[in-house]
Amino acid sequence: MDASPLNQPPPDDPPRLGPDRRRLLALGGSLLAAGTSLLSACSVTGATKAGSLGDPDRAEITVWSWQGPAAAMKALVPAFKAQHPGIDVTVQDIGNPAIWDKITTAMAAGGQGLADVLHIGVDYLPAYTEKFPDGLADLGPLGAARYRDAFADGMWQTVTRKGKVNALPWEANSAGFYYRADIFEAAGVDGEALATWDDAIDAGKKIKKKTGVHLLGIDKPASQPDAANFFQMLLQLQGTFYFDAEGRITLGSPEAVIAMTLIKEMNDAGLVSDLAGGWTALENSIKAGTAAVLPWPTWFGSIIEGLVPKESGKWKVRLPPAVKPGGTTAATVNSTHLAVAGSSKHQAAAWTFVEYVLTRPASQEAIYRSNGIAPALLKAYEAPVFHEPSKFFSGQHKGEIFLSALKARSPAVNYSADYARALKTVADAQTQVLLKGADPARALHSAADQLARQTGRELAS
């Protein structure tokens, strides 16, 4: 295995995520709201200027990313350069969310000024590919097809569209269930025994009665665009989303109603604290210990460790309970990818860098050690770092828990170019349910109708 070019902290010093990264992933697709406005408002001034393969062994390429991931790629450049001396790589930290507007503006200008390699979130990828069909190069002819089975389930389907490979998966974050084991124990509840969310609600009632602690928290008035993250996770645990594979709206589906009904039951029972105010409210809640459960993805473990280090040994983590008896507990709830610009004159060299970063286990291990980014590349998990016990999480092998989710079936999700609109519509419906007692089915059917009017999309039958 190649030596890591990154500084490697000892096992008990978990990777820390900076505010930039944690906010990006916490918001999931909410940052898309700003970017989508620009996508909707901009007019394409012309077709994407045709790129070319260029010299695969000699080129100067530019990479656009943001803070943490950009730093991780910069750290890999010296080792990459040693293997590919003719390729000069410049990684630019564009910032987030500035990167989305910058990509959009450049694509609208036919690719003028666009970097060769682009770091793109799963929620932005469909918007770019739908608005700018030639904006991203097809990585299939460059060699991407041989990695079809190398990534977590559903990832290949996420980055391909109509036979075109638009990007290669970087990270894959699975739904998680972080919980205060000491609070569960004080209430006489076995956190590992919760098979369904109905079980979790029953456990929440015991916890609230004996300790006064809520089960979980939600931004009830939808003060932030990501207020429906938990609802979205419950959808994905049932194998569905806001849109089906054909792009039809599924907000009124039986699965959606079940998810919102569960949330209403929790709220009606007094088990949901209010996280109005977004990320700051969430941090304060964790520090104050107002919720026993944090239903957040893989990367969130490092956030908890950083916020409440003195609670080491009091926390545990598992995959979330199933929505239905016997249902799945695995869902990939967010991911990011590297793409090559369709306008790049150095596509072959750009692909070589993408391949080096994303398909080498040594690269992904180094990135995980420095930034805590959970790889979509399954072979990367053979590294010992993913199998070390976590002192903070009561000696559990956290990496193995989430690896089991990545190995499970997790259908690809169609975010579509209208994800931001769906987020807003769903968050508003959830607010009606939580603060005004609206019927979940009626609220969701109304939301589906509204989204159909806004987007011109059909409703799924």
Side-chain angles (χ1 to χ4, degrees), residues 232-457:
Q232 183 170 308
M233 185 193 79
L234 294 177
L235 283 185
Q236 291 188 248
L237 287 173
Q238 299 176 82
T240 188
F241 199 61
Y242 304 142
F243 308 96
D244 63 16
E246 287 72 40
R248 295 171 299 194
I249 297 168
T250 55
L251 290 183
S253 68
E255 292 83 1
V257 173
I258 289 172
M260 193 64 79
T261 299
L262 283 171
I263 292 174
K264 187 176 189 302
E265 289 178 3
M266 294 178 199
N267 190 60
D268 290 351
L271 306 182
V272 181
S273 65
D274 192 351
L275 296 180
W279 187 265
T280 299
L282 175 61
E283 286 186 332
N284 291 338
S285 172
I286 294 171
K287 292 175 181 177
T290 59
V293 174
L294 296 169
W296 285 80
T298 312
W299 60 272
F300 199 76
S302 293
I303 299 298
I304 301 172
E305 293 183 61
L307 289 173
V308 287
K310 293 183 179 179
E311 293 180 3
S312 177
K314 295 182 178 181
W315 286 84
K316 285 188 175 181
V317 61
R318 49 163 286 180
L319 299 184
V323 173
K324 302 175 183 177
T328 184
T329 60
T332 301
V333 293
N334 53 50
S335 58
T336 67
H337 315 274
L338 289 183
V340 174
S343 58
S344 171
K345 301 297 184 182
H346 310 289
Q347 292 176 3
W351 160 250
T352 298
F353 182 72
V354 169
E355 187 177 34
Y356 184 89
V357 172
L358 301 186
T359 68
R360 293 173 68 257
S363 295
Q364 288 299 300
E365 178 188 356
I367 291 170
Y368 178 79
R369 285 186 179 276
S370 68
N371 281 272
I373 300 177
L377 183 69
L378 292 176
K379 195 169 180 59
Y381 288 90
E382 295 178 3
V385 68
F386 296 102
H387 304 276
E388 295 167 352
S390 168
K391 181 179 179 181
F392 187 90
F393 290 102
S394 306
Q396 290 180 296
H397 292 77
K398 184 163 66 81
E400 295 179 359
I401 292 171
F402 287 109
L403 176 59
S404 68
L406 293 180
K407 288 182 175 179
R409 183 179 180 274
S410 184
V413 170
N414 181 13
Y415 281 79
S416 90
D418 291 315
Y419 178 52
R421 292 186 177 90
L423 277 180
K424 170 63 175 169
T425 306
V426 168
D428 288 346
Q430 179 176 266
T431 294
Q432 292 295 315
V433 170
L434 295 179
L435 296 185
K436 297 185 177 181
D439 175 71
R442 290 180 182 175
L444 287 169
H445 281 105
S446 176
D449 290 339
Q450 179 182 341
L451 188 59
R453 290 193 299 270
Q454 291 176 346
T455 63
R457 292 180 181 270

Side-chain angles (χ1 to χ4, degrees), residues 35-70:
T36 296
S37 350
L38 182 57
L39 273 170
S40 301
C42 77
S43 57
V44 181
T45 58
T48 300
K49 297 177 182 177
S52 59
L53 291 177
D55 188 333
D57 301 316
R58 187 167 300 277
E60 294 181 5
I61 64 171
T62 302
V63 181
W64 283 357
S65 183
W66 57 88
Q67 293 88 338

Side-chain angles (χ1 to χ4, degrees), residues 137-161:
D138 185 355
L139 302 184
L142 293 172
R146 63 176 171 270
Y147 299 111
R148 176 188 299 271
D149 300 320
F151 301 99
D153 188 66
M155 286 291 94
W156 188 255
Q157 292 77 11
T158 297
V159 298
T160 55
R161 179 180 175 84

